[in-house]
């Protein structure tokens, strides 16, 4: 039975699939792992009731440093 695709075509398909997987990995790292915690998308749960009025309003501390 003859081969359907020639070896260079098979290599091109493999390289295209590998490049696609690489781009998916780059997008995943960029959008899901590299986001800062204060962006609003990765908001941690507050373990105790807390008023930001004292620290932000009175003391002038930025929320990123709390």
């Amino acid at each position: 039975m003859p081969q359907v695709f020639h070896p260079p075509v098979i290599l091109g398909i493999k390289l295209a699939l590998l490049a696609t997987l690489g781009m998916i990995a780059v997008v995943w790292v960029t959008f899901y792992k590299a986001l800062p915690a204060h962006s609003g998308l990765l908001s941690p749960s507050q373990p105790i009731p807390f008023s930001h009025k004292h620290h932000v309003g009175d003391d002038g501390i930025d929320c990123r440093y709390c």
Side-chain angles (χ1 to χ4, degrees):
M1 182 158 127
Q3 193 172 10
V4 177
F5 296 110
H6 295 292
V9 175
I10 294 173
L11 178 64
I13 292 171
K14 287 179 181 180
L15 289 175
L17 288 174
L18 185 64
T20 303
L21 289 175
M23 289 303 295
I24 290 172
V26 166
V27 169
W28 181 73
V29 166
T30 301
F31 288 111
Y32 293 105
K33 291 293 187 180
L35 289 174
H38 62 276
S39 68
L41 296 175
L42 299 174
S43 58
S45 61
Q46 192 65 263
I48 57 173
F50 179 77
S51 172
H52 294 274
K53 182 181 181 299
H54 172 67
H55 290 94
V56 176
D58 299 336
D59 297 337
I61 300 173
D62 191 351
C63 289
R64 292 177 290 184
Y65 304 112
C66 187

